[in-house]
Amino acid sequence: MYHSKISGLGYYVPENVVTNDDLSLIMETNDAWIQERTGIQERRHVIKGDGDTTTTMGVKAAKAALERAGIDKDDIDFIIFATLSPDYYFPGPGVLVQRDLSMARTVGALDVRNQCSGFLYALSVADQFIKTGMYKNILVIGSELHSTGLDMTTRGRNVSVIFGDGAGAAVLSREEDLTKGILSTHLHSEGQYAEELSLTAPGMGRRWVTDIIADNDPDDTSYYPYMNGQFVFKNAVQRLAEVVSEGLAANKLSVADIDMLIPHQANLRIAQFIQHKFQLPDDKIHNNIMKYGNTTAASVPIALTEALELGKIKDGDLVILAAFGSGFTWGSAVIRW
């Protein structure tokens, strides 16, 4: 058995900055209202026609991760791509990355649909492949293009002000020192609450494209995201606290051992609740939702990359990643850097 280590990280966000004041020009909202409820000040949105897609943003993040890992794209043995906003209904973006990176090898590509927890699920899958010796280097990507699929009117403001576009990527590589790398991952789901944070159309079982076109109903919101905000918040703080504690217990560690916590950037209030619960000082948690909003599967790798670039993570540090999202799904990863 081996461990897997994160040998390279990278992220990409569009250049177009959309502030809360910008949103107030197209819907009934304001900066104070958004910041009070979410902590978000601005986010990045693609500009239509500029070439940014979920895949191309993921490729840009991947190239940065490969460069930092010091390996060539053809050293990658497998691709795992996490997203809820693929370029196409099918095929998924994993194979598009294989194509767009011009990989000489016909490596396998897997798509993960676990929304805000997607990167952690993808990381866990990659970790298992490397631990068993099947693969040596795996490219893991979380990328989201939300802006073109949101209801950017007053009707949709409770959801649309939250989300931003961006991508993060990690190269996982074989590590023979079993005291380093990913020590454990922990994954959970609770499907009875699936519809509390969901986008139900188009879907084969309920409302497909032909139905939407036939009805041509301007008041149909089934193809916009829905979120029961208070219910999601209550479950998020509970499950995130549980899964962080689970990771610590599995490795016989305590809260005092944490050097850096990277929570999914869903809502600054959720992250602050978790920080307070574990009594972590500000220098042991990294939040960037203020700048980027909720980038779903991309949020953890973007924040992790930023924290590393800022010097907040050093060799030997204990780093914990944690996420909660639609499904409900949630998970954590305990890493010795």
Side-chain angles (χ1 to χ4, degrees):
M1 296 286 285
Y2 303 95
H3 271 192
S4 62
K5 66 177 181 181
I6 296 176
S7 58
L9 287 165
Y11 77 95
Y12 170 82
V13 291
E15 293 183 3
N16 181 38
V17 177
V18 179
T19 67
N20 293 341
D21 288 336
D22 291 332
L23 293 180
S24 72
L25 300 177
I26 59 174
M27 63 181 71
E28 293 180 14
T29 191
N30 59 69
D31 177 65
W33 189 90
I34 296 171
Q35 286 208 52
E36 179 184 350
R37 287 159 178 79
T38 69
I40 299 168
Q41 300 172 21
E42 60 188 40
R43 72 287 293 148
R44 304 296 181 96
H45 286 174
V46 304
I47 297 175
K48 288 185 178 181
D50 67 358
D52 273 337
T53 70
T54 299
T55 297
T56 63
M57 290 191 296
V59 167
K60 290 173 182 177
K63 287 180 177 178
L66 286 165
E67 182 178 353
R68 287 176 174 167
I71 67 172
D72 185 77
K73 57 184 173 54
D74 292 321
D75 293 323
I76 293 296
D77 303 310
F78 197 67
I79 300 165
I80 307 178
F81 200 119
T83 188
L84 64 74
S85 54
D87 297 30
Y88 311 134
Y89 192 83
F90 66 85
V95 297
L96 303 182
V97 168
Q98 190 274 342
R99 178 193 68 188
D100 291 354
L101 282 176
S102 300
M103 287 181 163
R105 301 170 61 202
T106 55
V107 299
L110 174 69
D111 298 290
V112 172
R113 289 291 306 275
N114 284 86
Q115 293 63 254
C116 296
S117 303
F119 183 80
L120 278 171
Y121 268 74
L123 196 74
S124 182
V125 172
D127 181 45
Q128 308 314 309
F129 276 130
I130 290 177
K131 277 182 175 176
T132 60
M134 184 169 184
Y135 297 127
K136 187 175 180 181
N137 296 300
I138 298 179
L139 177 60
V140 182
I141 299 172
S143 181
E144 305 287 5
L145 199 167
H146 289 300
S147 59
T148 58
L150 297 171
D151 183 358
M152 301 299 287
T153 69
T154 299
R155 180 181 65 180
R157 65 181 177 181
N158 288 346
V159 173
S160 57
V161 301
I162 297 171
F163 293 99
D165 304 334
V171 175
L172 260 67
S173 300
R174 183 181 298 173
E175 172 60 66
E176 297 188 7
D177 183 349
L178 300 186
T179 66
K180 295 183 177 180
I182 296 178
L183 304 183
S184 64
T185 59
H186 309 270
L187 306 176
H188 299 276
S189 71
E190 195 168 20
Q192 65 177 311
Y193 300 125
E195 285 76 30
E196 301 299 332
L197 177 50
S198 61
L199 195 159
T200 59
M204 297 291 192
R206 294 192 176 187
R207 187 164 178 75
W208 185 232
V209 174
T210 49
D211 302 312
I212 296 171
I213 293 174
D215 291 344
N216 194 26
D217 180 3
D219 296 320
D220 178 16
T221 60
S222 62
Y223 45 85
Y224 288 126
Y226 165 79
M227 179 172 65
N228 183 344
Q230 291 184 342
F231 188 77
V232 172
F233 185 100
K234 184 173 73 171
N235 278 267
V237 295
Q238 175 188 344
R239 296 307 192 184
L240 283 172
E242 288 175 356
V243 83
V244 169
S245 297
E246 179 183 3
L248 291 172
N251 294 281
K252 296 181 172 55
L253 298 166
S254 69
V255 171
D257 294 310
I258 298 174
D259 294 300
M260 178 55 59
L261 173 64
I262 307 289
H264 164 53
Q265 303 296 295
N267 185 306
L268 185 60
R269 310 302 167 226
I270 294 174
Q272 289 172 333
F273 183 96
I274 299 303
Q275 179 182 359
H276 177 74
K277 179 174 179 61
F278 290 112
Q279 297 184 326
L280 294 173
D282 290 344
D283 63 351
K284 290 195 174 187
I285 187 170
H286 182 68
N287 292 303
N288 62 5
I289 192 172
M290 302 80 72
K291 296 189 297 181
Y292 302 127
N294 181 348
T295 54
T296 313
S299 87
V300 168
I302 290 175
L304 180 60
T305 306
E306 254 197 357
L308 186 65
E309 290 177 345
L310 292 169
K312 293 184 175 183
I313 299 173
K314 307 177 297 298
D315 285 349
D317 279 356
L318 185 76
V319 178
I320 296 186
L321 315 179
F324 175 92
S326 172
F328 289 151
T329 60
W330 62 98
S332 66
V334 181
I335 304 170
R336 180 65 69 183
W337 209 260

PDB file of all heavy atoms in Angstrom, residues 292-327:
ATOM      1  N   TYR A 292     -14.900  35.255  -4.333  1.00  0.00           N
ATOM      2  CA  TYR A 292     -15.280  34.361  -5.423  1.00  0.00           C
ATOM      3  C   TYR A 292     -16.692  33.795  -5.314  1.00  0.00           C
ATOM      4  O   TYR A 292     -17.162  33.145  -6.255  1.00  0.00           O
ATOM      5  CB  TYR A 292     -14.295  33.182  -5.500  1.00  0.00           C
ATOM      6  CG  TYR A 292     -12.861  33.598  -5.689  1.00  0.00           C
ATOM      7  CD1 TYR A 292     -11.868  33.143  -4.843  1.00  0.00           C
ATOM      8  CD2 TYR A 292     -12.497  34.462  -6.717  1.00  0.00           C
ATOM      9  CE1 TYR A 292     -10.551  33.516  -5.008  1.00  0.00           C
ATOM     10  CE2 TYR A 292     -11.185  34.851  -6.891  1.00  0.00           C
ATOM     11  CZ  TYR A 292     -10.206  34.375  -6.028  1.00  0.00           C
ATOM     12  OH  TYR A 292      -8.908  34.756  -6.198  1.00  0.00           O
ATOM     13  N   GLY A 293     -17.376  34.035  -4.205  1.00  0.00           N
ATOM     14  CA  GLY A 293     -18.679  33.416  -4.027  1.00  0.00           C
ATOM     15  C   GLY A 293     -18.536  31.915  -3.871  1.00  0.00           C
ATOM     16  O   GLY A 293     -17.455  31.383  -3.600  1.00  0.00           O
ATOM     17  N   ASN A 294     -19.653  31.221  -4.056  1.00  0.00           N
ATOM     18  CA  ASN A 294     -19.669  29.756  -3.964  1.00  0.00           C
ATOM     19  C   ASN A 294     -19.391  29.183  -5.351  1.00  0.00           C
ATOM     20  O   ASN A 294     -20.220  29.293  -6.251  1.00  0.00           O
ATOM     21  CB  ASN A 294     -21.029  29.291  -3.445  1.00  0.00           C
ATOM     22  CG  ASN A 294     -21.126  27.788  -3.290  1.00  0.00           C
ATOM     23  OD1 ASN A 294     -20.276  27.044  -3.763  1.00  0.00           O
ATOM     24  ND2 ASN A 294     -22.175  27.333  -2.621  1.00  0.00           N
ATOM     25  N   THR A 295     -18.237  28.567  -5.513  1.00  0.00           N
ATOM     26  CA  THR A 295     -17.885  27.956  -6.793  1.00  0.00           C
ATOM     27  C   THR A 295     -18.062  26.439  -6.744  1.00  0.00           C
ATOM     28  O   THR A 295     -17.468  25.700  -7.532  1.00  0.00           O
ATOM     29  CB  THR A 295     -16.440  28.296  -7.202  1.00  0.00           C
ATOM     30  OG1 THR A 295     -15.550  27.924  -6.140  1.00  0.00           O
ATOM     31  CG2 THR A 295     -16.292  29.779  -7.487  1.00  0.00           C
ATOM     32  N   THR A 296     -18.874  25.962  -5.824  1.00  0.00           N
ATOM     33  CA  THR A 296     -19.300  24.570  -5.716  1.00  0.00           C
ATOM     34  C   THR A 296     -18.106  23.614  -5.729  1.00  0.00           C
ATOM     35  O   THR A 296     -17.265  23.679  -4.852  1.00  0.00           O
ATOM     36  CB  THR A 296     -20.329  24.238  -6.805  1.00  0.00           C
ATOM     37  OG1 THR A 296     -21.311  25.298  -6.823  1.00  0.00           O
ATOM     38  CG2 THR A 296     -21.081  22.959  -6.505  1.00  0.00           C
ATOM     39  N   ALA A 297     -17.981  22.730  -6.714  1.00  0.00           N
ATOM     40  CA  ALA A 297     -16.913  21.725  -6.717  1.00  0.00           C
ATOM     41  C   ALA A 297     -15.531  22.362  -6.823  1.00  0.00           C
ATOM     42  O   ALA A 297     -14.526  21.716  -6.509  1.00  0.00           O
ATOM     43  CB  ALA A 297     -17.118  20.736  -7.854  1.00  0.00           C
ATOM     44  N   ALA A 298     -15.465  23.607  -7.262  1.00  0.00           N
ATOM     45  CA  ALA A 298     -14.170  24.277  -7.409  1.00  0.00           C
ATOM     46  C   ALA A 298     -13.715  24.972  -6.132  1.00  0.00           C
ATOM     47  O   ALA A 298     -12.543  25.342  -6.018  1.00  0.00           O
ATOM     48  CB  ALA A 298     -14.234  25.298  -8.553  1.00  0.00           C
ATOM     49  N   SER A 299     -14.611  25.145  -5.158  1.00  0.00           N
ATOM     50  CA  SER A 299     -14.293  26.031  -4.038  1.00  0.00           C
ATOM     51  C   SER A 299     -13.167  25.512  -3.161  1.00  0.00           C
ATOM     52  O   SER A 299     -12.288  26.264  -2.754  1.00  0.00           O
ATOM     53  CB  SER A 299     -15.547  26.307  -3.199  1.00  0.00           C
ATOM     54  OG  SER A 299     -15.752  25.331  -2.207  1.00  0.00           O
ATOM     55  N   VAL A 300     -13.158  24.208  -2.852  1.00  0.00           N
ATOM     56  CA  VAL A 300     -12.107  23.668  -1.988  1.00  0.00           C
ATOM     57  C   VAL A 300     -10.734  23.734  -2.663  1.00  0.00           C
ATOM     58  O   VAL A 300      -9.769  24.209  -2.054  1.00  0.00           O
ATOM     59  CB  VAL A 300     -12.446  22.240  -1.529  1.00  0.00           C
ATOM     60  CG1 VAL A 300     -11.241  21.572  -0.879  1.00  0.00           C
ATOM     61  CG2 VAL A 300     -13.613  22.263  -0.544  1.00  0.00           C
ATOM     62  N   PRO A 301     -10.585  23.280  -3.929  1.00  0.00           N
ATOM     63  CA  PRO A 301      -9.247  23.378  -4.527  1.00  0.00           C
ATOM     64  C   PRO A 301      -8.784  24.809  -4.770  1.00  0.00           C
ATOM     65  O   PRO A 301      -7.576  25.089  -4.685  1.00  0.00           O
ATOM     66  CB  PRO A 301      -9.384  22.604  -5.839  1.00  0.00           C
ATOM     67  CG  PRO A 301     -10.842  22.599  -6.151  1.00  0.00           C
ATOM     68  CD  PRO A 301     -11.518  22.547  -4.808  1.00  0.00           C
ATOM     69  N   ILE A 302      -9.709  25.738  -5.067  1.00  0.00           N
ATOM     70  CA  ILE A 302      -9.303  27.138  -5.212  1.00  0.00           C
ATOM     71  C   ILE A 302      -8.781  27.661  -3.879  1.00  0.00           C
ATOM     72  O   ILE A 302      -7.708  28.276  -3.805  1.00  0.00           O
ATOM     73  CB  ILE A 302     -10.474  28.009  -5.721  1.00  0.00           C
ATOM     74  CG1 ILE A 302     -10.799  27.686  -7.182  1.00  0.00           C
ATOM     75  CG2 ILE A 302     -10.130  29.491  -5.581  1.00  0.00           C
ATOM     76  CD1 ILE A 302     -12.021  28.426  -7.717  1.00  0.00           C
ATOM     77  N   ALA A 303      -9.527  27.426  -2.797  1.00  0.00           N
ATOM     78  CA  ALA A 303      -9.123  27.923  -1.480  1.00  0.00           C
ATOM     79  C   ALA A 303      -7.833  27.257  -1.008  1.00  0.00           C
ATOM     80  O   ALA A 303      -6.970  27.905  -0.404  1.00  0.00           O
ATOM     81  CB  ALA A 303     -10.244  27.691  -0.472  1.00  0.00           C
ATOM     82  N   LEU A 304      -7.693  25.963  -1.274  1.00  0.00           N
ATOM     83  CA  LEU A 304      -6.479  25.244  -0.881  1.00  0.00           C
ATOM     84  C   LEU A 304      -5.261  25.804  -1.613  1.00  0.00           C
ATOM     85  O   LEU A 304      -4.194  26.017  -1.009  1.00  0.00           O
ATOM     86  CB  LEU A 304      -6.642  23.755  -1.179  1.00  0.00           C
ATOM     87  CG  LEU A 304      -5.464  22.841  -0.839  1.00  0.00           C
ATOM     88  CD1 LEU A 304      -5.140  22.886   0.647  1.00  0.00           C
ATOM     89  CD2 LEU A 304      -5.759  21.409  -1.276  1.00  0.00           C
ATOM     90  N   THR A 305      -5.410  26.048  -2.910  1.00  0.00           N
ATOM     91  CA  THR A 305      -4.305  26.616  -3.686  1.00  0.00           C
ATOM     92  C   THR A 305      -3.924  27.993  -3.165  1.00  0.00           C
ATOM     93  O   THR A 305      -2.736  28.311  -3.005  1.00  0.00           O
ATOM     94  CB  THR A 305      -4.681  26.713  -5.179  1.00  0.00           C
ATOM     95  OG1 THR A 305      -5.118  25.441  -5.640  1.00  0.00           O
ATOM     96  CG2 THR A 305      -3.490  27.169  -6.014  1.00  0.00           C
ATOM     97  N   GLU A 306      -4.931  28.808  -2.892  1.00  0.00           N
ATOM     98  CA  GLU A 306      -4.677  30.153  -2.368  1.00  0.00           C
ATOM     99  C   GLU A 306      -3.936  30.111  -1.046  1.00  0.00           C
ATOM    100  O   GLU A 306      -2.992  30.856  -0.819  1.00  0.00           O
ATOM    101  CB  GLU A 306      -6.011  30.892  -2.188  1.00  0.00           C
ATOM    102  CG  GLU A 306      -6.281  31.950  -3.197  1.00  0.00           C
ATOM    103  CD  GLU A 306      -7.375  32.896  -2.740  1.00  0.00           C
ATOM    104  OE1 GLU A 306      -7.969  32.721  -1.667  1.00  0.00           O
ATOM    105  OE2 GLU A 306      -7.636  33.838  -3.500  1.00  0.00           O
ATOM    106  N   ALA A 307      -4.405  29.238  -0.142  1.00  0.00           N
ATOM    107  CA  ALA A 307      -3.774  29.131   1.179  1.00  0.00           C
ATOM    108  C   ALA A 307      -2.313  28.739   1.051  1.00  0.00           C
ATOM    109  O   ALA A 307      -1.446  29.262   1.763  1.00  0.00           O
ATOM    110  CB  ALA A 307      -4.531  28.119   2.033  1.00  0.00           C
ATOM    111  N   LEU A 308      -2.020  27.820   0.121  1.00  0.00           N
ATOM    112  CA  LEU A 308      -0.638  27.401  -0.089  1.00  0.00           C
ATOM    113  C   LEU A 308       0.187  28.546  -0.658  1.00  0.00           C
ATOM    114  O   LEU A 308       1.324  28.796  -0.212  1.00  0.00           O
ATOM    115  CB  LEU A 308      -0.606  26.201  -1.039  1.00  0.00           C
ATOM    116  CG  LEU A 308       0.758  25.541  -1.246  1.00  0.00           C
ATOM    117  CD1 LEU A 308       1.257  24.911   0.043  1.00  0.00           C
ATOM    118  CD2 LEU A 308       0.680  24.490  -2.354  1.00  0.00           C
ATOM    119  N   GLU A 309      -0.369  29.282  -1.618  1.00  0.00           N
ATOM    120  CA  GLU A 309       0.348  30.403  -2.223  1.00  0.00           C
ATOM    121  C   GLU A 309       0.641  31.503  -1.209  1.00  0.00           C
ATOM    122  O   GLU A 309       1.647  32.210  -1.307  1.00  0.00           O
ATOM    123  CB  GLU A 309      -0.465  30.976  -3.383  1.00  0.00           C
ATOM    124  CG  GLU A 309      -0.545  30.071  -4.605  1.00  0.00           C
ATOM    125  CD  GLU A 309      -1.416  30.650  -5.707  1.00  0.00           C
ATOM    126  OE1 GLU A 309      -2.183  31.598  -5.441  1.00  0.00           O
ATOM    127  OE2 GLU A 309      -1.325  30.134  -6.835  1.00  0.00           O
ATOM    128  N   LEU A 310      -0.246  31.661  -0.241  1.00  0.00           N
ATOM    129  CA  LEU A 310      -0.083  32.699   0.784  1.00  0.00           C
ATOM    130  C   LEU A 310       0.846  32.275   1.911  1.00  0.00           C
ATOM    131  O   LEU A 310       1.065  33.028   2.861  1.00  0.00           O
ATOM    132  CB  LEU A 310      -1.454  33.078   1.355  1.00  0.00           C
ATOM    133  CG  LEU A 310      -2.407  33.800   0.401  1.00  0.00           C
ATOM    134  CD1 LEU A 310      -3.808  33.885   0.998  1.00  0.00           C
ATOM    135  CD2 LEU A 310      -1.870  35.199   0.074  1.00  0.00           C
ATOM    136  N   GLY A 311       1.384  31.056   1.822  1.00  0.00           N
ATOM    137  CA  GLY A 311       2.299  30.574   2.849  1.00  0.00           C
ATOM    138  C   GLY A 311       1.620  30.098   4.112  1.00  0.00           C
ATOM    139  O   GLY A 311       2.270  29.937   5.161  1.00  0.00           O
ATOM    140  N   LYS A 312       0.318  29.851   4.037  1.00  0.00           N
ATOM    141  CA  LYS A 312      -0.419  29.397   5.217  1.00  0.00           C
ATOM    142  C   LYS A 312      -0.252  27.908   5.484  1.00  0.00           C
ATOM    143  O   LYS A 312      -0.643  27.420   6.548  1.00  0.00           O
ATOM    144  CB  LYS A 312      -1.912  29.720   5.057  1.00  0.00           C
ATOM    145  CG  LYS A 312      -2.233  31.206   5.062  1.00  0.00           C
ATOM    146  CD  LYS A 312      -3.744  31.419   5.008  1.00  0.00           C
ATOM    147  CE  LYS A 312      -4.116  32.885   5.144  1.00  0.00           C
ATOM    148  NZ  LYS A 312      -5.593  33.074   5.164  1.00  0.00           N
ATOM    149  N   ILE A 313       0.281  27.169   4.510  1.00  0.00           N
ATOM    150  CA  ILE A 313       0.481  25.730   4.645  1.00  0.00           C
ATOM    151  C   ILE A 313       1.952  25.420   4.431  1.00  0.00           C
ATOM    152  O   ILE A 313       2.539  25.836   3.437  1.00  0.00           O
ATOM    153  CB  ILE A 313      -0.375  24.948   3.632  1.00  0.00           C
ATOM    154  CG1 ILE A 313      -1.869  25.235   3.864  1.00  0.00           C
ATOM    155  CG2 ILE A 313      -0.101  23.447   3.741  1.00  0.00           C
ATOM    156  CD1 ILE A 313      -2.766  24.629   2.801  1.00  0.00           C
ATOM    157  N   LYS A 314       2.539  24.674   5.385  1.00  0.00           N
ATOM    158  CA  LYS A 314       3.955  24.324   5.316  1.00  0.00           C
ATOM    159  C   LYS A 314       4.120  22.810   5.381  1.00  0.00           C
ATOM    160  O   LYS A 314       3.193  22.091   5.793  1.00  0.00           O
ATOM    161  CB  LYS A 314       4.714  24.974   6.477  1.00  0.00           C
ATOM    162  CG  LYS A 314       4.519  26.482   6.606  1.00  0.00           C
ATOM    163  CD  LYS A 314       5.240  27.039   7.817  1.00  0.00           C
ATOM    164  CE  LYS A 314       4.727  26.482   9.120  1.00  0.00           C
ATOM    165  NZ  LYS A 314       3.317  26.784   9.387  1.00  0.00           N
ATOM    166  N   ASP A 315       5.286  22.337   4.993  1.00  0.00           N
ATOM    167  CA  ASP A 315       5.579  20.910   5.080  1.00  0.00           C
ATOM    168  C   ASP A 315       5.353  20.423   6.511  1.00  0.00           C
ATOM    169  O   ASP A 315       5.793  21.067   7.475  1.00  0.00           O
ATOM    170  CB  ASP A 315       7.032  20.634   4.678  1.00  0.00           C
ATOM    171  CG  ASP A 315       7.243  20.730   3.182  1.00  0.00           C
ATOM    172  OD1 ASP A 315       6.239  20.808   2.444  1.00  0.00           O
ATOM    173  OD2 ASP A 315       8.413  20.729   2.741  1.00  0.00           O
ATOM    174  N   GLY A 316       4.684  19.298   6.620  1.00  0.00           N
ATOM    175  CA  GLY A 316       4.416  18.714   7.930  1.00  0.00           C
ATOM    176  C   GLY A 316       3.127  19.169   8.577  1.00  0.00           C
ATOM    177  O   GLY A 316       2.704  18.600   9.595  1.00  0.00           O
ATOM    178  N   ASP A 317       2.467  20.194   7.997  1.00  0.00           N
ATOM    179  CA  ASP A 317       1.212  20.690   8.567  1.00  0.00           C
ATOM    180  C   ASP A 317       0.095  19.670   8.421  1.00  0.00           C
ATOM    181  O   ASP A 317       0.053  18.903   7.446  1.00  0.00           O
ATOM    182  CB  ASP A 317       0.781  21.989   7.889  1.00  0.00           C
ATOM    183  CG  ASP A 317       1.506  23.208   8.439  1.00  0.00           C
ATOM    184  OD1 ASP A 317       2.288  23.053   9.400  1.00  0.00           O
ATOM    185  OD2 ASP A 317       1.285  24.317   7.907  1.00  0.00           O
ATOM    186  N   LEU A 318      -0.821  19.688   9.377  1.00  0.00           N
ATOM    187  CA  LEU A 318      -2.032  18.883   9.272  1.00  0.00           C
ATOM    188  C   LEU A 318      -3.117  19.760   8.652  1.00  0.00           C
ATOM    189  O   LEU A 318      -3.506  20.781   9.227  1.00  0.00           O
ATOM    190  CB  LEU A 318      -2.499  18.378  10.637  1.00  0.00           C
ATOM    191  CG  LEU A 318      -3.700  17.429  10.556  1.00  0.00           C
ATOM    192  CD1 LEU A 318      -3.260  16.052  10.070  1.00  0.00           C
ATOM    193  CD2 LEU A 318      -4.418  17.319  11.896  1.00  0.00           C
ATOM    194  N   VAL A 319      -3.582  19.359   7.484  1.00  0.00           N
ATOM    195  CA  VAL A 319      -4.576  20.126   6.728  1.00  0.00           C
ATOM    196  C   VAL A 319      -5.849  19.297   6.627  1.00  0.00           C
ATOM    197  O   VAL A 319      -5.797  18.111   6.287  1.00  0.00           O
ATOM    198  CB  VAL A 319      -4.059  20.461   5.311  1.00  0.00           C
ATOM    199  CG1 VAL A 319      -5.114  21.226   4.518  1.00  0.00           C
ATOM    200  CG2 VAL A 319      -2.765  21.265   5.400  1.00  0.00           C
ATOM    201  N   ILE A 320      -6.976  19.920   6.918  1.00  0.00           N
ATOM    202  CA  ILE A 320      -8.263  19.237   6.805  1.00  0.00           C
ATOM    203  C   ILE A 320      -9.127  19.968   5.787  1.00  0.00           C
ATOM    204  O   ILE A 320      -9.298  21.195   5.855  1.00  0.00           O
ATOM    205  CB  ILE A 320      -8.987  19.150   8.162  1.00  0.00           C
ATOM    206  CG1 ILE A 320      -8.171  18.286   9.125  1.00  0.00           C
ATOM    207  CG2 ILE A 320     -10.396  18.574   7.987  1.00  0.00           C
ATOM    208  CD1 ILE A 320      -8.849  18.009  10.437  1.00  0.00           C
ATOM    209  N   LEU A 321      -9.657  19.215   4.836  1.00  0.00           N
ATOM    210  CA  LEU A 321     -10.612  19.734   3.866  1.00  0.00           C
ATOM    211  C   LEU A 321     -11.993  19.214   4.238  1.00  0.00           C
ATOM    212  O   LEU A 321     -12.136  18.055   4.632  1.00  0.00           O
ATOM    213  CB  LEU A 321     -10.256  19.258   2.445  1.00  0.00           C
ATOM    214  CG  LEU A 321      -8.793  19.344   2.015  1.00  0.00           C
ATOM    215  CD1 LEU A 321      -8.632  18.806   0.597  1.00  0.00           C
ATOM    216  CD2 LEU A 321      -8.285  20.766   2.115  1.00  0.00           C
ATOM    217  N   ALA A 322     -13.012  20.047   4.102  1.00  0.00           N
ATOM    218  CA  ALA A 322     -14.365  19.616   4.452  1.00  0.00           C
ATOM    219  C   ALA A 322     -15.379  20.326   3.566  1.00  0.00           C
ATOM    220  O   ALA A 322     -15.202  21.502   3.231  1.00  0.00           O
ATOM    221  CB  ALA A 322     -14.666  19.905   5.923  1.00  0.00           C
ATOM    222  N   ALA A 323     -16.429  19.587   3.184  1.00  0.00           N
ATOM    223  CA  ALA A 323     -17.454  20.168   2.311  1.00  0.00           C
ATOM    224  C   ALA A 323     -18.805  19.547   2.592  1.00  0.00           C
ATOM    225  O   ALA A 323     -18.911  18.395   3.039  1.00  0.00           O
ATOM    226  CB  ALA A 323     -17.086  19.974   0.847  1.00  0.00           C
ATOM    227  N   PHE A 324     -19.846  20.330   2.312  1.00  0.00           N
ATOM    228  CA  PHE A 324     -21.236  19.884   2.442  1.00  0.00           C
ATOM    229  C   PHE A 324     -22.022  20.489   1.297  1.00  0.00           C
ATOM    230  O   PHE A 324     -21.813  21.648   0.944  1.00  0.00           O
ATOM    231  CB  PHE A 324     -21.836  20.353   3.772  1.00  0.00           C
ATOM    232  CG  PHE A 324     -23.307  20.039   3.916  1.00  0.00           C
ATOM    233  CD1 PHE A 324     -23.730  18.856   4.509  1.00  0.00           C
ATOM    234  CD2 PHE A 324     -24.275  20.924   3.445  1.00  0.00           C
ATOM    235  CE1 PHE A 324     -25.075  18.554   4.634  1.00  0.00           C
ATOM    236  CE2 PHE A 324     -25.626  20.630   3.562  1.00  0.00           C
ATOM    237  CZ  PHE A 324     -26.025  19.443   4.153  1.00  0.00           C
ATOM    238  N   GLY A 325     -22.935  19.708   0.705  1.00  0.00           N
ATOM    239  CA  GLY A 325     -23.726  20.276  -0.369  1.00  0.00           C
ATOM    240  C   GLY A 325     -24.885  19.418  -0.785  1.00  0.00           C
ATOM    241  O   GLY A 325     -25.305  18.497  -0.065  1.00  0.00           O
ATOM    242  N   SER A 326     -25.404  19.741  -1.954  1.00  0.00           N
ATOM    243  CA  SER A 326     -26.596  19.108  -2.497  1.00  0.00           C
ATOM    244  C   SER A 326     -26.480  17.600  -2.467  1.00  0.00           C
ATOM    245  O   SER A 326     -25.417  17.028  -2.689  1.00  0.00           O
ATOM    246  CB  SER A 326     -26.800  19.589  -3.943  1.00  0.00           C
ATOM    247  OG  SER A 326     -27.834  18.875  -4.574  1.00  0.00           O
ATOM    248  N   GLY A 327     -27.598  16.975  -2.166  1.00  0.00           N
ATOM    249  CA  GLY A 327     -27.638  15.509  -2.141  1.00  0.00           C
ATOM    250  C   GLY A 327     -28.496  14.916  -1.030  1.00  0.00           C
ATOM    251  O   GLY A 327     -29.296  14.069  -1.306  1.00  0.00           O
TER     252      GLY A 327
END
